[in-house]
Amino acid sequence: MCSLLDEATGKVLFLIPMWKRTVQVVKCSPYNIRMSQMMLMHSIKNCTVCTMSELAKREQISAQQLTRSIDELVNKNYVFRYINPNNRRETLVELTEEGKQVLDHVDQDVFRSMKTAFSQFSDQQLQQLIQAFDLLLEVMEQRKETL
């Protein structure tokens, strides 16, 4: 017999690839960027000062993998990479204006796509969904603090 915990975990694991495919189609196709690169750009956007080593640790990828992805983003003019003037051993990365515009367009596309999907729910179902997401986010934030 499946416990509620097993059932909830199974449903989330089932939804993740579907969610990623939906977002990937919306996000990446017009910009010729892989999903992993788009997620990397979001990470760069969300940090104040972003070193390559911190970014690799946050994304849980090797320095070599990160360098390859950043190289491609630099070539597309979405990311700017430079030596930290205060610590020449550190390499910093930040989004270019073009990279910021790409993320803005992507976020709008994803928002529209998700809004269309969620429009099929009743107000009561949407409220339940919001409460479930809030709870999930709260638990994930608490877990992030302990890692």
Side-chain angles (χ1 to χ4, degrees), residues 4-5 14 31 61 88 109 113 130 137:
L4 287 174
L5 182 57
F14 177 76
Y31 307 105
I61 59 175
R88 300 204 42 85
D109 291 347
S113 174
I130 291 167
L137 286 169

Side-chain angles (χ1 to χ4, degrees), residues 80-98:
F80 176 64
R81 175 179 41 209
Y82 59 99
I83 301 297
N84 184 347
N86 299 322
N87 181 352
R88 300 204 42 85
R89 292 176 295 172
E90 288 183 336
T91 302
L92 302 175
V93 289
E94 60 185 69
L95 294 178
T96 63
E97 284 306 312
E98 187 175 352

Side-chain angles (χ1 to χ4, degrees), residues 5 7 11 15 18 24 27 46 50 53 55 63 66 80 85 88 93-94 100 103 109-110 113 128 142 147:
L5 182 57
E7 185 176 350
K11 287 184 185 285
L15 284 172
M18 290 174 61
Q24 186 170 10
K27 286 177 113 172
N46 292 329
C50 212
S53 56
L55 196 53
L66 178 63
F80 176 64
R88 300 204 42 85
V93 289
E94 60 185 69
K100 291 174 187 175
L103 278 182
D109 291 347
V110 170
S113 174
Q128 291 171 336
Q142 290 171 356
L147 295 179

